[in-house]
Each structure stands twice: as structure tokens, then as C-alpha cells.
Amino acid sequence: MSRKISEESYRKTRSFRLHQWFTGEKDLFLDQVEMKPQEPFTESKKVKKKREKEKQKMLDQIYNLERNRKTGPFQTLYRVVSVLFCICMVSLFLVAVSYLPPLGDAGNPANNEVPQRYIENGLQETGAVNIVTGMILDYRAFDTLGESHVLFIATCAVLILLRLDGNKKKLQEEEASDSAHEPENDVILQTVAKIVVPPIMIFGIYVILGGHLGPGGGFSGGAIIGAGLILYLNAFGFEKTERFFTAKTYKWMCFGALGCYCLAKSYSFFTGANHIESIIPLGTPGAILSSGLILILNICVGIVVAGTMYTFYVMFRKGGF
Amino acid sequence: MDLSNLMHNYPEAVSMILFAIGFSNLLLQKNLIKKIIGLNIMDTAMYLFLALKGYIVGRSAPIVTDGVQSVEAYINPIPAGLVLTGIVVSVSVSALMLSLTIRLYRRFHTLNLDEISTMLKKEGL
């Protein structure tokens, strides 16, 4: 049932405010969200003149007619040749694909005795219900150790390239310019982060711990935890995260995890190579504390991956923490 | 060229076309970030191809359920492990490339490869 209400009482209703907000007359959240007015871009006359001169010089070089007459045909030729090359490449690939064995056939040459062995004996030999986890963290654990080291070395390379070390002033400048056009306390982002970050962390830990029981493992769980940390950092700023996560923490965390991985795998290689009975029980398949070393190795890999993701982000954003 | 087999293998053909898209991105784009995106598309095409190589019609993921341990029940687990290695290496390589790009941007204040090479030529390098 609809009834007619007076203009006065209509002005007090929520729908009127919503309509106002929708048409842009009045902001519903005015004075409730912290906003920072963006300052107009300013620079001194000298700097501006220099910049414009440099830019003009460069544009002259690029759009120089005399030079373009020489390089222009080459540019066109380059584009045409690269498109033709890609078309040739893809047609060659498609011809190769048409001679590949049919997709999804059980008799394909890839389905030989190796996966048969992994599937039939994997559960008894590694104790892991998830055969892929049993494969990568038991049969091929050395390979996974190499992967963790690749991540660690990539972080080291990024740290070398981007770290503004020993230059406190520059670091502060970078931090100031980083959030120059953003509100310091974004209410929407902070509320969402408060609600969402704890479930993300718990889900990441669940994925890491359940790596030998179902889909998951150290790499995916670590990436989830790293994403949660990045969201937390974006919402609450560097002061909050630097209380528990700095470069020193990362260093010791990675060192501890990789060292633990090395020690655990050294033990299993030593006992395996010398035909000594390993004292680590495999447990009942399906229980959380089962499958020997796989749970520990998953946790180590998860720590390394989470730290790596977070460190990449911090390095790209600020260059030091 | 076996056209009916190509039609049957269409997911693999899609991965090959994706690979070519990434490669043409790498050749034609002048922006460094877009070049990196092209390389990532090539990586993704390779993961798709590897994952398809392990797929067998009508079988489930290699997680032992109800104690069934025959080869007839599960798909091939080996390509999954290989794809995992590939993803880790791709993440590391992209991070390294992006940080090098940031260094180039700090030095030249542009991401366009042509402008960077023009500036380098101007400096006599």
C-alpha cells in the first residue's frame, strides 16, 4: 500500500538521502570518511623549463622527419615481420598439435610406468593421501628445496636492486610520497580488512596444514597468507606491520625454514641411502599428524613463500623495511 | 595435417595460440610492463599445455579416496608437480624483471623502450 507523505517528512526518510546521494547533491558519508584534498602539481619555473626542453628534444629526436624517413620503413617492416613470424610460429605449433596423441586418452605415452608407480605405492611409501604432495615433498623433495631457494634468491636480488639502505632521509621521503594522495586512515579499507584478514590467515594455515590430506600445500597456502599480510599492510600502514615483520624477521624466518628443510631432508636421505630404518613414523593416512616429514616440509615452504610475497610487495612499494 | 585430431586437441591448440599472443606482445609492445605481461601470458600458456598433458578423460584428481589405489582411478600426477615448479620460477623471474624496470624508471623517468634507447644514445652509451 502506498500513501502520500508530505515534503517535510519525505526529507527525513532514508530514501530521500539515498536519492540525494545518487544524484550527487549531497554525500551520504560527508564528514565521516577522512579525505585528503589533492594538491595541484607544482614545480619551479626553472625545473619546468628544463623538463619541457628535455622532452621537446627527445620528441624531436623521435619524430624527426629526416630520421623518420630513414627509420620509419624499418619500423613498419619490423611490425610486419614480427606479425608474420608469430603467425608462422602458431601455424607450426598447430600442425604439431594436430599430430599429438589425442587429449585425455589413457594410452598416451605420458601415462607410463612412472605415474603408475607413484599412484600404486605412493600412499604406502610416503603416507600422504594427496599423491602430488607425496611426489613433490618426498620422492622429489630435492627439487622442491631448489624451488624454495629460487624464491629466496629472487628476494635477495630484488632487495639488492631496490633497497634504499643507509639513506634514512630518502626512505622517509619515499614513504611520504607513497601516501601523498591517499587518506592515512581509510575507514572502508580498514573495516573490510578487520573483517577479512583473520579468515584469510586461518584459511592459509588450513591450506598449508592440509597439504598432505587434500588439495593445497606450502606454495598455495603461503601465497594466501602473503596476500593477507599485503591487505593488512595496505589498510593499516607500515607502522603496524613493522612491529612484527621487518627485514630482520624475514631473514631469520627464511633461514630457519630453509635450514629446517635441509636438516629434515638430509636425515631422510642419509637413512634412505644407508638402508637404515627411519625413526619418523608414517602414521595412519588421513590423520593430520601423518606422512612423516611432509607436514614439516610443507610448513617450511609455506613460511618461505609467505615471507617472499610480502617482501616483494614492500620492496616494490617503498624500497626497504 | 590431421584436422580431426586438431579439433579433438582444441585445448592444446588454445594454449599454443595463447603462447603466440604472448610472444607477439613481447615483440610489438614498447612499454616494458606490457612486455613483462606478454612473458607471463607465455608462462600461463605453458602451464595449460602441461596440465592438459596429464589429463585423462573420466578420472579424478590424484588424491586417494576410499582406499582406491589403481591407475585406472586417477589422472597423471607428474605434470602437476612440473607446473608447480614452473609457477615458482615464473614468479621469481617476474619479480626480478619488475624490479629492474623500476630501476630503469628511476633513472630515465619513462617506460618506453624507444625513449630509453634514445636517451642512452644521447649520452653516448
Side-chain angles (χ1 to χ4, degrees):
Chain A
M1 191 180 83
S2 64
R3 66 194 163 88
K4 211 170 180 183
I5 53 170
S6 67
E7 185 77 25
E8 287 284 303
S9 53
Y10 173 63
R11 280 184 179 282
K12 282 175 194 158
T13 55
R14 188 166 288 177
S15 63
F16 176 70
R17 282 173 65 197
L18 198 68
H19 179 253
Q20 264 190 328
W21 172 70
F22 192 69
T23 52
E25 284 170 48
K26 193 173 175 241
D27 195 343
L28 201 62
F29 297 101
L30 201 66
D31 301 327
Q32 287 183 29
V33 181
E34 184 184 346
M35 301 283 277
K36 205 176 228 180
Q38 297 211 355
E39 285 170 14
F41 178 69
T42 52
E43 59 183 344
S44 69
K45 252 183 192 159
K46 206 174 160 190
V47 175
K48 193 180 175 189
K49 209 170 169 187
K50 199 181 163 196
R51 182 171 64 85
E52 276 175 355
K53 203 176 157 192
E54 292 257 303
K55 179 138 194 189
Q56 196 51 48
K57 214 169 160 187
M58 204 175 66
L59 287 178
D60 285 349
Q61 284 231 351
I62 291 171
Y63 297 110
N64 186 351
L65 278 181
E66 201 55 41
R67 196 169 148 268
N68 275 6
R69 212 163 284 147
K70 271 185 277 174
T71 59
F74 173 74
Q75 291 276 340
T76 325
L77 188 73
Y78 171 76
R79 289 188 163 264
V80 170
V81 166
S82 47
V83 168
L84 282 179
F85 178 76
C86 283
I87 291 172
C88 286
M89 198 176 69
V90 77
S91 38
L92 269 179
F93 282 159
L94 288 179
V95 170
V97 163
S98 78
Y99 288 116
L100 281 179
L103 177 71
D105 190 37
N108 282 354
N111 307 320
N112 51 13
E113 65 276 3
V114 183
Q116 187 181 359
R117 157 78 195 235
Y118 283 147
I119 289 171
E120 283 177 350
N121 301 345
L123 187 62
Q124 282 75 30
E125 285 176 356
T126 66
V129 176
N130 188 345
I131 295 167
V132 178
T133 308
M135 205 180 84
I136 62 166
L137 286 174
D138 199 298
Y139 295 113
R140 291 157 54 89
F142 206 53
D143 174 66
T144 311
L145 178 64
E147 282 171 44
S148 313
H149 277 102
V150 164
L151 276 177
F152 182 63
I153 291 164
T155 327
C156 290
V158 173
L159 276 167
I160 290 166
L161 283 170
L162 294 181
R163 193 163 191 200
L164 304 165
D165 205 13
N167 198 340
K168 278 271 159 58
K169 204 181 152 203
K170 207 171 175 189
L171 201 63
Q172 277 168 359
E173 258 175 39
E174 195 80 3
E175 202 171 344
S177 78
D178 169 56
S179 57
H181 299 299
E182 289 170 23
E184 256 165 47
N185 291 308
D186 195 333
V187 177
I188 301 168
L189 188 60
Q190 282 186 350
T191 317
V192 170
K194 256 182 219 162
I195 299 166
V196 166
V197 166
I200 289 178
M201 294 291 174
I202 291 168
F203 181 62
I205 291 167
Y206 160 74
V207 169
I208 289 178
L209 294 184
H212 54 298
L213 305 176
F219 288 105
S220 38
I224 293 168
I225 291 183
L229 278 174
I230 290 169
L231 178 61
Y232 185 78
L233 166 69
N234 271 329
F236 296 102
F238 280 98
E239 309 95 66
K240 284 272 167 63
T241 51
E242 275 172 14
R243 284 190 310 197
F244 62 88
F245 203 103
T246 58
K248 214 172 174 182
T249 329
Y250 172 72
K251 200 171 71 187
W252 284 109
M253 233 167 67
C254 263
F255 172 71
L258 290 174
C260 182
Y261 195 119
C262 286
L263 278 180
K265 259 352 258 187
S266 303
Y267 174 74
S268 86
F269 282 146
F270 183 76
T271 52
N274 292 308
H275 303 289
I276 304 169
E277 190 92 343
S278 173
I279 56 159
I280 299 154
L282 287 182
T284 47
I288 183 112
L289 287 176
S290 69
S291 67
L293 286 166
I294 288 179
L295 184 63
I296 302 165
L297 301 186
N298 250 338
I299 293 169
C300 292
V301 171
I303 289 171
V304 173
V305 174
T308 304
M309 290 296 146
Y310 180 74
T311 312
F312 279 160
Y313 181 77
V314 172
M315 280 298 135
F316 286 147
R317 188 168 153 190
K318 200 175 80 167
F321 69 131
Chain B
M1 189 164 166
D2 193 349
L3 210 61
S4 68
N5 199 19
L6 182 67
M7 288 318 286
H8 185 257
N9 283 349
Y10 74 93
E12 284 167 344
V14 166
S15 86
M16 287 302 132
I17 290 167
L18 257 182
F19 187 87
I21 288 171
F23 195 76
S24 58
N25 235 10
L26 210 59
L27 286 177
L28 292 173
Q29 295 286 355
K30 290 197 165 60
N31 191 316
L32 284 170
I33 301 277
K34 288 180 186 171
K35 274 184 195 284
I36 294 171
I37 291 172
L39 202 75
N40 271 315
I41 293 173
M42 284 165 76
D43 283 340
T44 317
M46 249 35 255
Y47 307 149
L48 180 61
F49 186 74
L50 277 177
L52 286 168
K53 285 277 96 181
Y55 177 67
I56 301 166
V57 175
R59 300 193 186 175
S60 61
I63 295 165
V64 177
T65 35
D66 305 328
V68 181
Q69 269 189 292
S70 70
V71 201
E72 276 74 46
Y74 305 111
I75 62 165
N76 192 346
I78 293 172
L82 297 181
V83 169
L84 200 73
T85 312
I87 289 172
V88 170
V89 173
S90 142
V91 165
S92 312
V93 170
S94 339
L96 194 62
M97 283 190 298
L98 285 171
S99 54
L100 285 169
T101 310
I102 289 175
R103 284 301 289 260
L104 272 177
Y105 185 79
R106 279 190 193 152
R107 174 87 163 72
F108 295 108
H109 298 286
T110 176
L111 287 172
N112 192 325
L113 204 58
D114 282 0
E115 291 182 16
I116 289 175
S117 54
T118 314
M119 284 186 192
L120 277 173
K121 224 172 267 169
K122 206 165 68 182
E123 287 168 9
L125 284 169

